[in-house]
Amino acid sequence: MTQAMPSQPRKLPSQQRSRERVERILAVAGDLIAERGSDAVKMSDIADGAGVSIGSLYQYFPDKGAVIRTLAERYNQIGRECVERIMVDVASLDGLAEALKVVVDEYYGMFQDYPATRDIWSATLADKALRDIDAEDTRAHAAFLEKVLRKVGVEGDGTELTSYALLVMYLLCATVRLAITLPDDEARRVLDGYKVMAARDLLAKFAA
């Protein structure tokens, strides 16, 4: 059976007061999902926590799936901005190897700063539509990494470089998502292991 795409949020409001209401709804939804898990959160819980009527909530989000989709896309955007901020000034292959290490730490920190990302990622594993959103996000990360690789002088077949960048960013995200399920000391060992492995592979593959 084909799974339905999570409902799109209705058109976001242009008025300041309404925008603030939407932000409050999303903040409450994120907190509730982090606390209870998305399956246990009802639309009425979100409305009560945000101090809006259930009718007002449905004005902006037709169902819980639309709330989760919006949160997922927002967290993905935060992650992309993090990667781009760290890598934008990279000027050498060695610098890129070090930047990847910083990305790992900050991406892990993002999951700690926004605990709802953990539940939403878990939901992604069981939902094809959310997996598609996640795959699109990974491709965006990879496209930026490929751009940086070319900026620092890496040459080669476009398809091969695209595939390499996609694999690096997929493994980075997967490593961080594994780490958030582990005790902190074990998580740090896993993260450090990936950082060493990724940097070593990058330099071995492309260093002159």
Side-chain angles (χ1 to χ4, degrees):
M1 180 181 295
T2 301
Q3 270 184 297
M5 173 70 77
S7 301
Q8 294 274 8
R10 304 192 194 281
K11 185 177 179 180
L12 293 180
S14 57
Q15 294 184 343
Q16 178 69 22
R17 183 176 179 182
S18 295
R19 288 201 304 271
E20 290 173 353
R21 185 177 299 146
V22 168
E23 293 304 317
R24 188 166 68 251
I25 289 168
L26 292 172
V28 167
D31 289 344
L32 289 173
I33 289 170
E35 178 186 345
R36 305 179 190 175
S38 57
D39 288 345
V41 175
K42 300 177 182 177
M43 289 291 274
S44 57
D45 298 329
I46 298 172
D48 290 344
V52 300
S53 69
I54 192 69
S56 292
L57 176 58
Y58 281 118
Q59 272 190 307
Y60 304 117
F61 301 99
D63 54 34
K64 188 172 67 174
V67 177
I68 293 173
R69 179 190 178 106
T70 302
L71 286 172
E73 291 176 338
R74 287 196 170 200
Y75 295 143
N76 286 347
Q77 180 62 32
I78 292 170
R80 289 195 296 272
E81 289 172 357
C82 168
V83 170
E84 293 180 13
R85 171 174 51 80
I86 293 166
M87 291 189 179
V88 67
D89 293 325
V90 166
S92 68
L93 203 59
D94 286 336
L96 178 55
E98 292 304 311
L100 280 173
K101 296 177 184 178
V102 177
V103 169
V104 170
D105 288 334
E106 294 220 7
Y107 198 58
Y108 180 65
M110 187 189 81
F111 275 88
Q112 294 175 312
D113 291 340
Y114 300 96
T117 54
R118 304 181 185 200
D119 184 88
I120 290 172
W121 172 70
S122 296
T124 297
L125 297 177
D127 189 299
K128 181 184 181 303
L130 288 176
R131 287 201 304 272
D132 289 344
I133 293 171
D134 194 56
E136 181 182 348
D137 182 61
T138 304
R139 289 186 182 281
H141 282 304
F144 189 78
L145 175 57
E146 182 178 355
K147 179 180 177 180
V148 175
L149 283 165
R150 294 195 180 281
K151 186 177 77 169
V152 301
V154 172
E155 299 177 354
D157 176 76
T159 302
E160 181 182 356
L161 197 58
T162 298
S163 296
Y164 173 80
L166 185 61
L167 181 60
V168 169
M169 296 311 295
Y170 175 81
L171 291 176
L172 188 156
C173 294
T175 300
V176 171
R177 289 166 173 178
L178 169 62
I180 64 172
T181 69
L182 303 173
D184 189 62
D185 57 344
E186 187 177 5
R188 286 295 171 187
R189 289 195 296 272
V190 167
L191 295 172
D192 289 345
Y194 174 80
K195 287 187 283 187
V196 170
M197 183 173 61
R200 183 176 58 210
D201 183 70
L202 176 72
L203 296 174
K205 188 173 182 67
F206 298 118

